[in-house]
Amino acid sequence: MGLTDTSDPVTSISPRDVVRRQYLASAAGDLDALRATLAPDVEWTEMAGFPLAGTYRTPDGVTSHVMEVLGRDWDAWTAHDDTYVVEGENVVVLARYTATHRTSRKALNVRVAHHFIVRGGLIVRFEQFVDTALVAEAARPVGE
């Protein structure tokens, strides 16, 4: 099986399978496997109003400025992917974030949509859509 094999989800370069591997790697805390799904020139955009708002570039930039920070600030941060809509290189995933903020101890359970563009078996673009007010409320200490 080579990189062009599309029958095995572990090695497939189909856009859906690449995105699914990214979610599995993230859930497992396997940053090396997550970086392996990202193009060297990836552009990863966290929504305005989200605690990590901005666009991050390079696989190391994404993991160090997004995944590692989420792991530092939240217990059990998980993106639960449940519905995939795929058209060519575009993959839209409807998902849910769950976590508990380490400082406020408040639980987060919020719906989210992610838009990925996958080319050549790698994620080249990501954009997040989420109710940032719900995320901010979960991070706000009690009494504020």
Side-chain angles (χ1 to χ4, degrees):
M1 286 187 232
L3 285 178
T4 59
D5 180 9
T6 59
S7 62
D8 181 358
V10 174
T11 59
S12 168
I13 63 168
S14 80
R16 185 201 187 285
D17 290 341
V18 171
V19 170
R20 178 68 178 139
R21 281 197 302 275
Q22 179 274 150
Y23 282 103
L24 291 172
S26 178
D30 187 343
L31 297 185
D32 288 335
L34 193 147
R35 282 189 286 272
T37 67
L38 304 176
D41 60 346
V42 66
E43 289 186 6
W44 186 280
T45 302
E46 299 286 322
M47 189 168 176
F50 190 71
L52 307 174
T55 298
Y56 304 93
R57 291 172 176 79
T58 78
D60 286 333
V62 171
T63 55
S64 66
H65 295 291
V66 179
M67 286 34 170
E68 290 178 14
V69 174
L70 290 171
R72 180 195 71 207
D73 294 347
W74 299 84
D75 285 326
W77 179 276
T78 306
H80 306 271
D81 53 323
D82 56 43
T83 303
Y84 283 69
V85 180
V86 182
E87 183 175 317
E89 65 186 14
N90 291 282
V91 180
V92 174
V93 180
L94 304 179
R96 178 173 303 282
Y97 290 153
T98 60
T100 301
H101 196 268
R102 290 183 191 267
T103 303
S104 74
R105 302 310 306 158
K106 293 179 187 173
L108 174 69
N109 187 336
V110 64
R111 291 293 287 164
V112 59
H114 293 154
H115 175 221
F116 297 86
I117 299 176
V118 180
R119 290 189 191 122
L122 295 172
I123 297 166
V124 297
R125 302 285 178 275
F126 165 87
E127 187 174 7
Q128 171 202 56
F129 300 90
V130 63
D131 185 337
T132 57
L134 291 176
V135 178
E137 175 54 34
R140 186 174 300 113
V142 176
E144 275 191 27

PDB file of all heavy atoms in Angstrom, residues 1-30:
ATOM      1  N   MET A   1       0.834  -1.191   0.000  1.00  0.00           N
ATOM      2  CA  MET A   1       0.000   0.000   0.000  1.00  0.00           C
ATOM      3  C   MET A   1       0.872   1.247   0.000  1.00  0.00           C
ATOM      4  O   MET A   1       1.709   1.410   0.850  1.00  0.00           O
ATOM      5  CB  MET A   1      -0.880   0.017   1.248  1.00  0.00           C
ATOM      6  CG  MET A   1      -2.006  -0.955   1.221  1.00  0.00           C
ATOM      7  SD  MET A   1      -3.055  -0.700   2.638  1.00  0.00           S
ATOM      8  CE  MET A   1      -3.080  -2.361   3.247  1.00  0.00           C
ATOM      9  N   GLY A   2       0.627   2.128  -0.928  1.00  0.00           N
ATOM     10  CA  GLY A   2       1.386   3.361  -1.021  1.00  0.00           C
ATOM     11  C   GLY A   2       0.555   4.549  -0.609  1.00  0.00           C
ATOM     12  O   GLY A   2      -0.602   4.412  -0.198  1.00  0.00           O
ATOM     13  N   LEU A   3       1.131   5.727  -0.765  1.00  0.00           N
ATOM     14  CA  LEU A   3       0.414   6.946  -0.390  1.00  0.00           C
ATOM     15  C   LEU A   3      -0.818   7.185  -1.238  1.00  0.00           C
ATOM     16  O   LEU A   3      -1.701   7.926  -0.851  1.00  0.00           O
ATOM     17  CB  LEU A   3       1.346   8.152  -0.495  1.00  0.00           C
ATOM     18  CG  LEU A   3       2.367   8.283   0.622  1.00  0.00           C
ATOM     19  CD1 LEU A   3       3.250   9.488   0.384  1.00  0.00           C
ATOM     20  CD2 LEU A   3       1.692   8.398   1.965  1.00  0.00           C
ATOM     21  N   THR A   4      -0.895   6.564  -2.396  1.00  0.00           N
ATOM     22  CA  THR A   4      -2.056   6.782  -3.243  1.00  0.00           C
ATOM     23  C   THR A   4      -3.181   5.798  -2.964  1.00  0.00           C
ATOM     24  O   THR A   4      -4.227   5.875  -3.559  1.00  0.00           O
ATOM     25  CB  THR A   4      -1.663   6.680  -4.731  1.00  0.00           C
ATOM     26  OG1 THR A   4      -1.113   5.379  -4.960  1.00  0.00           O
ATOM     27  CG2 THR A   4      -0.674   7.750  -5.109  1.00  0.00           C
ATOM     28  N   ASP A   5      -2.990   4.870  -2.034  1.00  0.00           N
ATOM     29  CA  ASP A   5      -4.015   3.901  -1.699  1.00  0.00           C
ATOM     30  C   ASP A   5      -5.164   4.618  -0.999  1.00  0.00           C
ATOM     31  O   ASP A   5      -4.981   5.288   0.000  1.00  0.00           O
ATOM     32  CB  ASP A   5      -3.429   2.822  -0.777  1.00  0.00           C
ATOM     33  CG  ASP A   5      -4.454   1.773  -0.387  1.00  0.00           C
ATOM     34  OD1 ASP A   5      -5.562   1.783  -0.967  1.00  0.00           O
ATOM     35  OD2 ASP A   5      -4.135   0.954   0.475  1.00  0.00           O
ATOM     36  N   THR A   6      -6.364   4.473  -1.561  1.00  0.00           N
ATOM     37  CA  THR A   6      -7.517   5.132  -0.950  1.00  0.00           C
ATOM     38  C   THR A   6      -8.458   4.134  -0.292  1.00  0.00           C
ATOM     39  O   THR A   6      -9.519   4.510   0.171  1.00  0.00           O
ATOM     40  CB  THR A   6      -8.298   5.958  -1.990  1.00  0.00           C
ATOM     41  OG1 THR A   6      -8.719   5.073  -3.034  1.00  0.00           O
ATOM     42  CG2 THR A   6      -7.451   7.088  -2.535  1.00  0.00           C
ATOM     43  N   SER A   7      -8.073   2.859  -0.235  1.00  0.00           N
ATOM     44  CA  SER A   7      -8.954   1.861   0.355  1.00  0.00           C
ATOM     45  C   SER A   7      -8.725   1.685   1.859  1.00  0.00           C
ATOM     46  O   SER A   7      -9.570   1.163   2.550  1.00  0.00           O
ATOM     47  CB  SER A   7      -8.778   0.514  -0.348  1.00  0.00           C
ATOM     48  OG  SER A   7      -7.448   0.047  -0.190  1.00  0.00           O
ATOM     49  N   ASP A   8      -7.580   2.104   2.357  1.00  0.00           N
ATOM     50  CA  ASP A   8      -7.241   1.948   3.770  1.00  0.00           C
ATOM     51  C   ASP A   8      -7.287   3.317   4.442  1.00  0.00           C
ATOM     52  O   ASP A   8      -6.507   4.198   4.105  1.00  0.00           O
ATOM     53  CB  ASP A   8      -5.843   1.341   3.897  1.00  0.00           C
ATOM     54  CG  ASP A   8      -5.416   1.130   5.344  1.00  0.00           C
ATOM     55  OD1 ASP A   8      -6.179   1.487   6.260  1.00  0.00           O
ATOM     56  OD2 ASP A   8      -4.313   0.613   5.550  1.00  0.00           O
ATOM     57  N   PRO A   9      -8.210   3.530   5.423  1.00  0.00           N
ATOM     58  CA  PRO A   9      -8.323   4.851   6.048  1.00  0.00           C
ATOM     59  C   PRO A   9      -7.052   5.316   6.754  1.00  0.00           C
ATOM     60  O   PRO A   9      -6.873   6.499   6.977  1.00  0.00           O
ATOM     61  CB  PRO A   9      -9.466   4.695   7.045  1.00  0.00           C
ATOM     62  CG  PRO A   9      -9.969   3.316   6.939  1.00  0.00           C
ATOM     63  CD  PRO A   9      -9.172   2.576   5.912  1.00  0.00           C
ATOM     64  N   VAL A  10      -6.163   4.382   7.091  1.00  0.00           N
ATOM     65  CA  VAL A  10      -4.924   4.758   7.775  1.00  0.00           C
ATOM     66  C   VAL A  10      -3.921   5.381   6.808  1.00  0.00           C
ATOM     67  O   VAL A  10      -3.141   6.260   7.185  1.00  0.00           O
ATOM     68  CB  VAL A  10      -4.307   3.528   8.487  1.00  0.00           C
ATOM     69  CG1 VAL A  10      -2.958   3.853   9.087  1.00  0.00           C
ATOM     70  CG2 VAL A  10      -5.256   3.018   9.549  1.00  0.00           C
ATOM     71  N   THR A  11      -3.944   4.965   5.544  1.00  0.00           N
ATOM     72  CA  THR A  11      -2.988   5.482   4.564  1.00  0.00           C
ATOM     73  C   THR A  11      -3.650   6.272   3.445  1.00  0.00           C
ATOM     74  O   THR A  11      -2.970   6.866   2.623  1.00  0.00           O
ATOM     75  CB  THR A  11      -2.180   4.327   3.946  1.00  0.00           C
ATOM     76  OG1 THR A  11      -3.096   3.418   3.314  1.00  0.00           O
ATOM     77  CG2 THR A  11      -1.347   3.618   4.988  1.00  0.00           C
ATOM     78  N   SER A  12      -4.969   6.286   3.415  1.00  0.00           N
ATOM     79  CA  SER A  12      -5.709   6.948   2.354  1.00  0.00           C
ATOM     80  C   SER A  12      -5.402   8.441   2.320  1.00  0.00           C
ATOM     81  O   SER A  12      -5.236   9.079   3.359  1.00  0.00           O
ATOM     82  CB  SER A  12      -7.210   6.747   2.579  1.00  0.00           C
ATOM     83  OG  SER A  12      -7.961   7.587   1.742  1.00  0.00           O
ATOM     84  N   ILE A  13      -5.347   8.976   1.104  1.00  0.00           N
ATOM     85  CA  ILE A  13      -5.178  10.424   0.969  1.00  0.00           C
ATOM     86  C   ILE A  13      -6.498  11.097   0.610  1.00  0.00           C
ATOM     87  O   ILE A  13      -6.528  12.271   0.255  1.00  0.00           O
ATOM     88  CB  ILE A  13      -4.078  10.787  -0.046  1.00  0.00           C
ATOM     89  CG1 ILE A  13      -4.434  10.308  -1.450  1.00  0.00           C
ATOM     90  CG2 ILE A  13      -2.726  10.258   0.420  1.00  0.00           C
ATOM     91  CD1 ILE A  13      -3.538  10.884  -2.531  1.00  0.00           C
ATOM     92  N   SER A  14      -7.612  10.350   0.721  1.00  0.00           N
ATOM     93  CA  SER A  14      -8.906  10.983   0.460  1.00  0.00           C
ATOM     94  C   SER A  14      -9.108  12.081   1.500  1.00  0.00           C
ATOM     95  O   SER A  14      -8.732  11.932   2.670  1.00  0.00           O
ATOM     96  CB  SER A  14     -10.044   9.966   0.526  1.00  0.00           C
ATOM     97  OG  SER A  14     -10.411   9.698   1.856  1.00  0.00           O
ATOM     98  N   PRO A  15      -9.684  13.212   1.087  1.00  0.00           N
ATOM     99  CA  PRO A  15      -9.862  14.324   2.036  1.00  0.00           C
ATOM    100  C   PRO A  15     -10.560  13.917   3.334  1.00  0.00           C
ATOM    101  O   PRO A  15     -10.132  14.310   4.418  1.00  0.00           O
ATOM    102  CB  PRO A  15     -10.678  15.333   1.232  1.00  0.00           C
ATOM    103  CG  PRO A  15     -10.203  15.111  -0.171  1.00  0.00           C
ATOM    104  CD  PRO A  15     -10.068  13.606  -0.278  1.00  0.00           C
ATOM    105  N   ARG A  16     -11.618  13.112   3.252  1.00  0.00           N
ATOM    106  CA  ARG A  16     -12.334  12.715   4.467  1.00  0.00           C
ATOM    107  C   ARG A  16     -11.427  11.920   5.404  1.00  0.00           C
ATOM    108  O   ARG A  16     -11.401  12.167   6.603  1.00  0.00           O
ATOM    109  CB  ARG A  16     -13.568  11.870   4.130  1.00  0.00           C
ATOM    110  CG  ARG A  16     -14.384  11.562   5.383  1.00  0.00           C
ATOM    111  CD  ARG A  16     -15.292  10.350   5.218  1.00  0.00           C
ATOM    112  NE  ARG A  16     -16.158  10.178   6.356  1.00  0.00           N
ATOM    113  CZ  ARG A  16     -15.768   9.693   7.549  1.00  0.00           C
ATOM    114  NH1 ARG A  16     -14.512   9.366   7.772  1.00  0.00           N
ATOM    115  NH2 ARG A  16     -16.625   9.561   8.537  1.00  0.00           N
ATOM    116  N   ASP A  17     -10.668  10.972   4.862  1.00  0.00           N
ATOM    117  CA  ASP A  17      -9.812  10.135   5.695  1.00  0.00           C
ATOM    118  C   ASP A  17      -8.687  10.943   6.337  1.00  0.00           C
ATOM    119  O   ASP A  17      -8.333  10.713   7.495  1.00  0.00           O
ATOM    120  CB  ASP A  17      -9.241   8.969   4.892  1.00  0.00           C
ATOM    121  CG  ASP A  17     -10.305   7.942   4.515  1.00  0.00           C
ATOM    122  OD1 ASP A  17     -11.380   7.912   5.150  1.00  0.00           O
ATOM    123  OD2 ASP A  17     -10.059   7.167   3.571  1.00  0.00           O
ATOM    124  N   VAL A  18      -8.128  11.896   5.604  1.00  0.00           N
ATOM    125  CA  VAL A  18      -7.068  12.746   6.160  1.00  0.00           C
ATOM    126  C   VAL A  18      -7.608  13.555   7.332  1.00  0.00           C
ATOM    127  O   VAL A  18      -6.995  13.620   8.402  1.00  0.00           O
ATOM    128  CB  VAL A  18      -6.472  13.673   5.079  1.00  0.00           C
ATOM    129  CG1 VAL A  18      -5.533  14.711   5.690  1.00  0.00           C
ATOM    130  CG2 VAL A  18      -5.762  12.848   3.999  1.00  0.00           C
ATOM    131  N   VAL A  19      -8.789  14.147   7.160  1.00  0.00           N
ATOM    132  CA  VAL A  19      -9.402  14.940   8.231  1.00  0.00           C
ATOM    133  C   VAL A  19      -9.735  14.042   9.421  1.00  0.00           C
ATOM    134  O   VAL A  19      -9.481  14.411  10.578  1.00  0.00           O
ATOM    135  CB  VAL A  19     -10.637  15.703   7.717  1.00  0.00           C
ATOM    136  CG1 VAL A  19     -11.427  16.320   8.865  1.00  0.00           C
ATOM    137  CG2 VAL A  19     -10.208  16.778   6.716  1.00  0.00           C
ATOM    138  N   ARG A  20     -10.264  12.872   9.169  1.00  0.00           N
ATOM    139  CA  ARG A  20     -10.587  11.941  10.268  1.00  0.00           C
ATOM    140  C   ARG A  20      -9.336  11.587  11.064  1.00  0.00           C
ATOM    141  O   ARG A  20      -9.370  11.543  12.299  1.00  0.00           O
ATOM    142  CB  ARG A  20     -11.251  10.682   9.702  1.00  0.00           C
ATOM    143  CG  ARG A  20     -11.580   9.630  10.751  1.00  0.00           C
ATOM    144  CD  ARG A  20     -12.688  10.078  11.697  1.00  0.00           C
ATOM    145  NE  ARG A  20     -12.976   8.995  12.633  1.00  0.00           N
ATOM    146  CZ  ARG A  20     -13.206   9.169  13.920  1.00  0.00           C
ATOM    147  NH1 ARG A  20     -13.238  10.371  14.442  1.00  0.00           N
ATOM    148  NH2 ARG A  20     -13.430   8.150  14.703  1.00  0.00           N
ATOM    149  N   ARG A  21      -8.205  11.341  10.367  1.00  0.00           N
ATOM    150  CA  ARG A  21      -6.945  11.045  11.071  1.00  0.00           C
ATOM    151  C   ARG A  21      -6.526  12.210  11.954  1.00  0.00           C
ATOM    152  O   ARG A  21      -6.007  12.023  13.043  1.00  0.00           O
ATOM    153  CB  ARG A  21      -5.832  10.706  10.075  1.00  0.00           C
ATOM    154  CG  ARG A  21      -5.917   9.297   9.551  1.00  0.00           C
ATOM    155  CD  ARG A  21      -4.619   8.837   8.905  1.00  0.00           C
ATOM    156  NE  ARG A  21      -4.173   9.666   7.801  1.00  0.00           N
ATOM    157  CZ  ARG A  21      -4.575   9.534   6.536  1.00  0.00           C
ATOM    158  NH1 ARG A  21      -5.437   8.584   6.212  1.00  0.00           N
ATOM    159  NH2 ARG A  21      -4.098  10.327   5.606  1.00  0.00           N
ATOM    160  N   GLN A  22      -6.781  13.436  11.496  1.00  0.00           N
ATOM    161  CA  GLN A  22      -6.453  14.621  12.297  1.00  0.00           C
ATOM    162  C   GLN A  22      -7.254  14.616  13.587  1.00  0.00           C
ATOM    163  O   GLN A  22      -6.703  14.869  14.661  1.00  0.00           O
ATOM    164  CB  GLN A  22      -6.716  15.885  11.458  1.00  0.00           C
ATOM    165  CG  GLN A  22      -6.450  17.195  12.166  1.00  0.00           C
ATOM    166  CD  GLN A  22      -7.646  17.678  12.977  1.00  0.00           C
ATOM    167  OE1 GLN A  22      -7.469  18.350  13.992  1.00  0.00           O
ATOM    168  NE2 GLN A  22      -8.848  17.349  12.592  1.00  0.00           N
ATOM    169  N   TYR A  23      -8.560  14.314  13.522  1.00  0.00           N
ATOM    170  CA  TYR A  23      -9.384  14.263  14.735  1.00  0.00           C
ATOM    171  C   TYR A  23      -8.919  13.154  15.672  1.00  0.00           C
ATOM    172  O   TYR A  23      -8.850  13.347  16.890  1.00  0.00           O
ATOM    173  CB  TYR A  23     -10.862  14.061  14.398  1.00  0.00           C
ATOM    174  CG  TYR A  23     -11.559  15.311  13.933  1.00  0.00           C
ATOM    175  CD1 TYR A  23     -11.844  15.516  12.594  1.00  0.00           C
ATOM    176  CD2 TYR A  23     -11.935  16.297  14.844  1.00  0.00           C
ATOM    177  CE1 TYR A  23     -12.488  16.665  12.159  1.00  0.00           C
ATOM    178  CE2 TYR A  23     -12.577  17.455  14.429  1.00  0.00           C
ATOM    179  CZ  TYR A  23     -12.845  17.629  13.078  1.00  0.00           C
ATOM    180  OH  TYR A  23     -13.473  18.775  12.662  1.00  0.00           O
ATOM    181  N   LEU A  24      -8.614  11.990  15.120  1.00  0.00           N
ATOM    182  CA  LEU A  24      -8.159  10.871  15.954  1.00  0.00           C
ATOM    183  C   LEU A  24      -6.840  11.201  16.646  1.00  0.00           C
ATOM    184  O   LEU A  24      -6.657  10.915  17.827  1.00  0.00           O
ATOM    185  CB  LEU A  24      -8.018   9.602  15.112  1.00  0.00           C
ATOM    186  CG  LEU A  24      -9.330   9.009  14.604  1.00  0.00           C
ATOM    187  CD1 LEU A  24      -9.047   7.874  13.617  1.00  0.00           C
ATOM    188  CD2 LEU A  24     -10.208   8.539  15.751  1.00  0.00           C
ATOM    189  N   ALA A  25      -5.917  11.830  15.908  1.00  0.00           N
ATOM    190  CA  ALA A  25      -4.631  12.205  16.491  1.00  0.00           C
ATOM    191  C   ALA A  25      -4.827  13.244  17.595  1.00  0.00           C
ATOM    192  O   ALA A  25      -4.216  13.158  18.661  1.00  0.00           O
ATOM    193  CB  ALA A  25      -3.689  12.746  15.411  1.00  0.00           C
ATOM    194  N   SER A  26      -5.685  14.220  17.347  1.00  0.00           N
ATOM    195  CA  SER A  26      -5.965  15.244  18.346  1.00  0.00           C
ATOM    196  C   SER A  26      -6.560  14.623  19.609  1.00  0.00           C
ATOM    197  O   SER A  26      -6.120  14.926  20.724  1.00  0.00           O
ATOM    198  CB  SER A  26      -6.917  16.289  17.766  1.00  0.00           C
ATOM    199  OG  SER A  26      -7.244  17.269  18.727  1.00  0.00           O
ATOM    200  N   ALA A  27      -7.544  13.748  19.448  1.00  0.00           N
ATOM    201  CA  ALA A  27      -8.194  13.115  20.600  1.00  0.00           C
ATOM    202  C   ALA A  27      -7.213  12.269  21.403  1.00  0.00           C
ATOM    203  O   ALA A  27      -7.307  12.187  22.623  1.00  0.00           O
ATOM    204  CB  ALA A  27      -9.366  12.264  20.140  1.00  0.00           C
ATOM    205  N   ALA A  28      -6.231  11.674  20.708  1.00  0.00           N
ATOM    206  CA  ALA A  28      -5.235  10.832  21.381  1.00  0.00           C
ATOM    207  C   ALA A  28      -4.079  11.647  21.948  1.00  0.00           C
ATOM    208  O   ALA A  28      -3.219  11.102  22.642  1.00  0.00           O
ATOM    209  CB  ALA A  28      -4.695   9.786  20.407  1.00  0.00           C
ATOM    210  N   GLY A  29      -4.051  12.956  21.658  1.00  0.00           N
ATOM    211  CA  GLY A  29      -2.939  13.784  22.098  1.00  0.00           C
ATOM    212  C   GLY A  29      -1.654  13.477  21.355  1.00  0.00           C
ATOM    213  O   GLY A  29      -0.564  13.795  21.822  1.00  0.00           O
ATOM    214  N   ASP A  30      -1.762  12.883  20.169  1.00  0.00           N
ATOM    215  CA  ASP A  30      -0.608  12.500  19.361  1.00  0.00           C
ATOM    216  C   ASP A  30      -0.274  13.636  18.395  1.00  0.00           C
ATOM    217  O   ASP A  30      -0.731  13.654  17.249  1.00  0.00           O
ATOM    218  CB  ASP A  30      -0.902  11.204  18.610  1.00  0.00           C
ATOM    219  CG  ASP A  30       0.303  10.651  17.885  1.00  0.00           C
ATOM    220  OD1 ASP A  30       1.287  11.394  17.677  1.00  0.00           O
ATOM    221  OD2 ASP A  30       0.254   9.460  17.496  1.00  0.00           O
TER     222      ASP A  30
END
